[in-house]
Amino acid sequence: MTYRKKRLLTIQIILILTAILLMYLFYYQGSKSDKSVDFQKESPTPQNETINGNFFEDVEYRGMDANGNRYLLQSKIATFDKDVPELIDMGGMKATFYFKDGKVLKIYGDNGKYNNKTNDMEFRENVKVTQGPNLINADNLDYFNIEKKINIYGRVKGKSLDGNFSADNLELNIENQTVDFSMNNNGQVKVNLNK
């Protein structure tokens, strides 16, 4: 045999032994660890679990509202009950709506809920709404996707380039782009216009 043939034979033997070793490691050793993997599949455990549900950090939901506007909903903390997984309880909420006309609406709240089936959102405590130079502060905000409206209520105060206002309730119709102000107990909406 020539040197070249001996070298090729040696390489072939090494390759065959390597293939046999790899097959042994992946198939034989893999079948032993498959039992533990199957066991884990039967009883999944989330990263963090609360008494009634699951706990997650830094959550993001992206989607389209009923008018075809894009939105991004972010939360620092989110939990959901295993019995009602579509209702997500959130802490440190921020929603950003990107309207087709180029306007951007941002909504902040200390906590609230998100329904991942209907895309409805509830913001509670220290609610803040911004759109360009316009600012609204309130206690609560409810976004109804199918109805295409936003209800803001509880010590509603707003500032814009045109002036300031305060009311108990404010209803925004997203489709018609109209705003209705109202007060509880037949009070008067307070409006101060800049001249």
Side-chain angles (χ1 to χ4, degrees):
M1 262 205 233
T2 66
Y3 173 74
R4 185 169 183 254
K5 286 185 180 183
K6 285 182 185 179
R7 188 172 161 206
L8 283 174
L9 184 62
T10 306
I11 291 174
Q12 288 174 345
I13 291 172
I14 290 173
L15 288 175
I16 290 172
L17 290 175
T18 304
I20 292 171
L21 179 64
L22 288 174
M23 287 175 34
Y24 171 78
L25 290 174
F26 285 109
Y27 292 108
Y28 182 71
Q29 294 293 335
S31 65
K32 286 183 180 178
S33 63
D34 283 346
K35 292 178 185 175
S36 63
V37 171
D38 289 340
F39 177 75
Q40 289 176 354
K41 286 182 183 177
E42 290 174 10
S43 60
T45 54
Q47 181 179 359
N48 296 312
E49 193 169 316
T50 63
I51 295 171
N52 294 328
N54 297 315
F55 169 84
F56 301 96
E57 293 179 345
D58 299 323
V59 177
E60 284 189 0
Y61 287 94
R62 296 172 188 266
M64 299 280 270
D65 69 7
N67 283 326
N69 301 306
R70 294 180 303 115
Y71 71 86
L72 170 65
L73 176 61
Q74 299 170 304
S75 173
K76 293 179 182 176
I77 298 170
T79 61
F80 69 90
D81 189 336
K82 292 177 185 177
D83 298 330
V84 191
E86 67 272 7
L87 293 178
I88 313 297
D89 292 314
M90 297 183 152
M93 294 177 71
K94 175 186 174 186
T96 307
F97 290 86
Y98 302 95
F99 294 105
K100 294 176 189 173
D101 63 1
K103 293 179 182 173
V104 176
L105 176 74
K106 294 184 180 184
I107 305 171
Y108 304 87
D110 287 351
N111 56 59
K113 292 183 184 283
Y114 173 62
N115 186 321
N116 62 21
K117 286 190 177 178
T118 63
N119 296 331
D120 291 345
M121 301 174 200
E122 294 177 4
F123 294 81
R124 301 292 181 257
E125 299 178 32
N126 299 316
V127 175
K128 182 173 134 182
V129 181
T130 63
Q131 183 178 28
N134 304 317
L135 171 68
I136 298 174
N137 290 306
D139 293 332
N140 306 296
L141 183 145
D142 295 332
Y143 167 72
F144 301 103
N145 181 47
I146 303 297
E147 297 174 27
K148 302 177 183 178
K149 70 179 184 178
I150 296 174
N151 288 338
I152 304 172
Y153 53 97
R155 297 184 299 168
V156 180
K157 293 182 180 182
K159 295 179 183 179
S160 72
L161 296 176
D162 296 328
N164 303 331
F165 71 88
S166 62
D168 288 334
N169 305 300
L170 181 123
E171 183 178 307
L172 299 165
N173 186 315
I174 297 171
E175 188 173 30
N176 300 334
Q177 296 189 357
T178 59
V179 179
D180 292 326
F181 297 93
S182 65
M183 293 293 285
N184 299 333
N185 302 322
N186 295 325
Q188 295 232 340
V189 175
K190 296 177 185 172
V191 178
N192 295 324
L193 298 175
N194 295 333
K195 294 183 180 182

